[in-house]
Amino acid sequence: MSNFIRITFVVFLLSGCTVTNSQSMPYKSWFLGFSVPDYMEVWIETADVVDIQDHMYARAMSGNASILRPPNNSGDPRGWPKRAGIGKGKHVTGADLPKQIYVRWQSMAEPQTYQMVITIPDATREIMRRGEKVFCAADGKWITGYRNSIGVRLVPGGIAKVWVGGACMTPIEVATVKAVIAPRGPYEGTSGGHYRPLSAVSKAYVDKFGVPYDSWK
């Protein structure tokens, strides 16, 4: 972990993981999800959250991100989606709205290990608090909807885009973050530099077509 990130998060770790009882949001929990382009597999080692009460929620999310692996190299990982999904993740139960999200992940298609801090500004939290009347086509009803989910899309090269969205709501892009290379490598240096392997389907695509870095600039 870089010195900046280490110092930032040690301060919050010292405050413990106390659950706040005075949440500032109009719902019980918010959702943190991750997605990646076709075949560009990642392994999220940890996604730690600090909320606006300065409470730390370690490993709020870890593991695989949402991904498609169409057979016969028929998928297309290039570029950013026109309408982003929130991805695979978890509800951050007990937390208030986020202040910072620290993510360390293995980009297995390269391979490389990245880390970043996503800073959530007041303007984004206001979007998450604001209710809107929206029509849900699935059940034909008007509801008061909230953008109570944060979706992070991770791409090779250590770039991430961040959206907020919710059921029946149009996602809003709120940030683009450039990560740094984690100097200790995968698993904080405990694996001897060994990465998790790509699936056979993803490896076949990367071996034939490579990683389309330029499509995410």
Side-chain angles (χ1 to χ4, degrees):
M1 189 183 299
S2 70
N3 287 338
F4 170 75
I5 295 174
R6 182 182 299 280
I7 292 169
T8 299
F9 273 81
V10 163
V11 170
F12 292 121
L13 279 169
L14 291 174
S15 71
C17 297
T18 306
V19 175
T20 178
N21 294 316
S22 57
Q23 294 171 330
S24 66
M25 57 197 184
Y27 35 81
K28 291 183 178 180
S29 65
W30 55 276
F31 186 86
L32 176 61
F34 292 85
S35 65
V36 296
D38 295 359
Y39 312 112
M40 302 292 115
E41 297 178 23
V42 307
W43 180 258
I44 300 163
E45 294 186 355
T46 189
D48 306 330
V49 170
V50 177
D51 73 4
I52 56 173
Q53 308 289 343
D54 284 345
H55 296 144
M56 173 75 176
Y57 297 82
R59 292 179 67 82
M61 171 57 183
S62 61
N64 293 307
S66 176
I67 187 173
L68 295 177
R69 304 179 187 87
N72 303 315
N73 295 331
S74 58
D76 186 0
R78 296 172 297 176
W80 300 99
K82 293 181 179 179
R83 184 185 176 97
I86 295 301
K88 178 182 176 182
K90 296 179 181 179
H91 286 274
V92 188
T93 304
D96 208 322
L97 290 174
K99 181 178 182 179
Q100 291 183 315
I101 303 170
Y102 165 69
V103 189
R104 187 178 69 249
W105 75 98
Q106 297 178 30
S107 177
M108 293 142 60
E110 302 182 69
Q112 188 60 269
T113 306
Y114 296 103
Q115 60 188 22
M116 66 180 175
V117 174
I118 303 169
T119 298
I120 307 296
D122 287 339
T124 297
R125 286 189 290 272
E126 284 306 309
I127 293 172
M128 296 179 73
R129 292 188 184 102
R130 186 170 64 234
E132 295 181 18
K133 292 293 185 182
V134 293
F135 182 74
C136 282
D139 55 13
K141 295 180 180 179
W142 285 89
I143 66 167
T144 299
Y146 292 94
R147 291 183 175 86
N148 57 356
S149 299
I150 294 179
V152 182
R153 192 164 180 88
L154 304 171
V155 304
I159 302 172
K161 281 189 181 288
V162 184
W163 288 265
V164 290
C168 308
M169 310 281 287
T170 301
I172 297 175
E173 183 180 333
V174 294
T176 300
V177 182
K178 183 69 172 71
V180 298
I181 294 173
R184 297 184 182 181
Y187 299 110
E188 289 277 62
T190 62
S191 68
H194 295 292
Y195 285 82
R196 295 178 66 89
L198 283 170
S199 67
V201 174
S202 293
K203 187 176 186 304
Y205 183 93
V206 173
D207 286 348
K208 184 171 183 178
F209 297 105
V211 177
Y213 292 103
D214 289 343
S215 71
W216 300 302
K217 290 184 176 179

